[in-house]
Amino acid sequence: MKILIKNGQVIDPANNIDGICDILVEGAKISRVAKNIKADADNVIEARGKIVMPGIVDMHVHLREPGREDKETIATGTKAALKGGVTSLLAMPNTAPAMDCPENIRLLKNIIQRSGQANVFIAGAITKGRLGKELTDIASLKKEGVVAISDDGASVENAELMRQALLKAKDEGVLVISHCEDKSLSNSGVVNLGIISTRLGLRGMPAEAEYKRVERDIRLAEETKSRLHIAHVSTKESVQLIAAAKKKGINITAEVTPHHFSLVEEAVLGFDANMKMNPPLRSKSDTEALKECLKSGIIDAIASDHAPHTENEKEIEFQRAEFGTIGLETELAASITELVKTGLLGWIDLVKKLCLNPARILGIDKGTLDAGCGADIIIVSPDKEWIVTKEQFVSKSKNSAFLGKQLSGIVEYTICAGKIVYTNSL
């Protein structure tokens, strides 16, 4: 099978390409990227006026299977990913059972092999049961193929345990991803601590709960000379600490979510539980700091933190509702709307944050349009506008923070491993 993509604006920061080109796909691989390719093909896609870029690599996704298939499954989650232009994703380990031993990793790999439609990489847990008491056997998890470890959804409270995790992960060449939250400071908060929390009478989660843990984990990474990735950064103090650490040469990277750079804490004023997430939506000054750090390169990657929940878990009192929003189907459009359309980032910078940098952080062979690489490609109409509705989602859950928002940019085609796996019918 051959696919020829003609006349698209090809964006590939790995090869410094930003111009009108053709791409020839043969079998599962990209065979050529060049101007005016003459070749017979089974399928010719005219991409004039559209962006052609690598498939997105989303390094922070909750697929819920095994254990909570009522929220999401590998099948529905990966289908949602392809609709959003995500061809590779990292599945977080907070499933039931947690991904904390080789047997559970093999169980998940079998499900992925049976029903996964995108490339799914696996994050193992740092501690058994994600309880923060005892380290997992990181070497055995690595042998089963995990590319990272994290207790995401929980922080490792014991500093000595986290230090040991960083040392063992360094020995095994596995990335450590840190959910930075000091529970003694977050104090069961449900929104950002400030005027809004006071006005609503809701318990607030202070910025210190995040940045004090960022500070600790950076110190541990420096002491152990280990690689550390900070997940879903939300405060200006956190990015200041990350900037200082990078300046010192500490091996640290960081991600931000579209909801944290697009929305501010005032979004919770209507008690909409879709706006309840951990970390919470922060102040305008925090959001502006996140954007500036995306522009400067202090923040390396954009990730969805896709967190599906059932209606019964969201359409209840705000205090009792689960944390999180789905994001696989909106992260590209939210990023185009908030970062490219506003002039903050150019396309090549956006593709770095969504594709190239996450792949490099995870050490996986994705995120580029290199000839000879797997053909994971998306074709995007950058100016097409749409209103986000529940009916559009193919994710099993509909708890989106962007419901009702007008976004720019829509995925027209997703090609994964050389096959057209999604086409927009709108």
Side-chain angles (χ1 to χ4, degrees):
M1 173 69 78
K2 290 185 183 179
I3 302 170
L4 180 59
I5 304 168
K6 296 285 294 179
N7 303 312
Q9 178 81 16
V10 176
I11 311 286
D12 181 19
N15 293 294
N16 203 26
I17 296 174
D18 182 0
I20 305 299
C21 286
D22 301 342
I23 300 178
L24 181 63
V25 174
E26 296 187 77
K29 296 188 181 299
I30 294 171
S31 65
R32 289 178 67 196
V33 180
K35 294 183 183 297
N36 301 315
I37 295 175
K38 308 291 185 189
D40 293 329
D42 303 282
N43 199 332
V44 178
I45 300 173
E46 174 57 52
R48 193 181 302 274
K50 297 180 175 58
I51 300 291
V52 182
M53 56 186 273
I56 294 168
V57 178
D58 190 336
M59 61 184 300
H60 195 150
V61 175
H62 301 274
L63 289 176
R64 306 302 191 202
E65 188 176 13
R68 286 305 305 267
E69 291 82 356
D70 54 331
K71 299 186 185 204
E72 194 76 283
T73 64
I74 301 297
T76 59
T78 53
K79 188 177 179 184
L82 295 175
K83 183 170 184 280
V86 177
T87 53
S88 299
L89 60 87
L90 182 68
M92 287 289 121
N94 56 336
T95 47
M99 293 299 116
D100 61 359
C101 64
E103 293 77 14
N104 293 345
I105 302 292
R106 285 196 287 273
L107 167 67
L108 179 55
K109 286 197 296 187
N110 286 335
I111 300 169
I112 293 167
Q113 190 171 23
R114 261 196 334 266
S115 59
Q117 300 180 51
N119 304 301
V120 180
F121 296 86
I122 301 172
I126 296 175
T127 63
K128 293 181 180 177
R130 299 173 47 256
L131 297 174
K133 304 292 185 188
E134 185 180 356
L135 283 186
T136 56
D137 183 345
I138 296 168
S140 68
L141 297 182
K142 173 69 183 298
K143 283 179 185 171
E144 290 298 330
V146 306
V147 297
I149 55 171
S150 177
D151 272 2
D152 189 51
S155 188
V156 178
E157 294 288 338
N158 185 310
E160 176 56 24
L161 204 60
M162 187 65 173
R163 192 180 73 82
Q164 291 176 24
L166 285 161
L167 285 170
K168 290 185 182 297
K170 183 174 71 169
D171 290 343
E172 297 299 327
V174 174
L175 176 71
V176 178
I177 299 176
S178 180
H179 170 110
C180 288
E181 178 188 357
D182 184 331
K183 290 274 189 188
S184 68
L185 294 173
S186 57
N187 197 26
S188 303
V190 295
V191 294
N192 186 41
L193 179 66
I195 292 172
I196 300 294
S197 65
T198 302
R199 185 172 161 187
L200 296 178
L202 295 173
R203 190 183 291 272
M205 193 183 299
E208 288 92 333
E210 177 178 296
Y211 74 75
K212 287 292 184 185
R213 186 52 47 89
V214 171
E215 187 175 48
R216 185 204 75 174
D217 285 354
I218 287 175
R219 175 174 54 78
L220 293 173
E222 182 179 24
E223 287 173 6
T224 57
K225 296 182 170 51
S226 303
R227 282 198 306 146
L228 178 70
H229 179 78
I230 306 293
H232 45 47
V233 176
S234 73
T235 74
K236 55 182 176 290
E237 293 89 352
S238 294
V239 290
Q240 287 165 358
L241 289 164
I242 292 164
K246 287 191 168 190
K247 196 172 181 181
K248 285 179 71 176
I250 299 169
N251 198 353
I252 185 171
T253 52
E255 74 189 30
V256 66
T257 71
H259 45 276
H260 282 115
F261 64 68
S262 299
L263 303 168
V264 293
E265 59 183 332
E266 281 78 2
V268 306
L269 283 170
F271 290 98
D272 179 356
N274 287 327
M275 301 298 175
K276 179 181 176 182
M277 49 270 292
N278 185 7
L281 298 177
R282 300 290 190 181
S283 68
K284 187 175 180 182
S285 63
D286 289 306
T287 304
E288 292 303 317
L290 297 176
K291 287 182 180 175
E292 283 305 310
C293 287
L294 275 167
K295 184 176 181 179
S296 68
I298 298 301
I299 294 177
D300 307 87
I302 295 169
S304 70
D305 192 7
H306 179 78
H309 294 294
T310 65
E311 287 191 0
N312 288 339
E313 293 169 323
K314 275 295 193 181
E315 295 185 359
I316 55 177
E317 299 96 318
F318 195 94
Q319 297 94 318
R320 294 175 53 224
E322 291 281 358
F323 289 97
T325 171
I326 59 171
L328 283 167
E329 294 168 74
T330 51
E331 68 177 311
L332 176 61
S335 299
I336 293 170
T337 305
E338 199 65 34
L339 304 178
V340 176
K341 292 293 181 182
T342 58
L344 188 84
L345 294 184
W347 270 98
I348 202 153
D349 292 322
L350 182 67
V351 175
K352 275 185 191 173
K353 309 289 184 190
L354 286 168
C355 309
L356 182 61
N357 289 355
R360 287 182 171 172
I361 292 167
L362 294 174
I364 60 176
D365 186 21
K366 300 291 179 186
T368 79
L369 299 175
D370 288 343
C373 278
D376 295 343
I377 305 166
I378 62 173
I379 301 172
V380 180
S381 289
D383 301 318
K384 194 179 281 188
E385 295 185 336
W386 56 295
I387 305 286
V388 182
T389 67
K390 282 186 178 182
E391 292 72 24
Q392 293 161 331
F393 288 122
V394 297
S395 171
K396 202 164 190 175
S397 294
K398 314 298 177 190
N399 54 301
S400 170
F402 290 99
L403 284 174
K405 306 284 186 193
Q406 180 169 301
L407 301 178
S408 290
I410 199 158
V411 177
E412 301 287 2
Y413 290 87
T414 301
I415 297 169
C416 189
K419 295 179 181 174
I420 299 173
V421 289
Y422 170 77
T423 56
N424 174 36
S425 59
L426 295 178

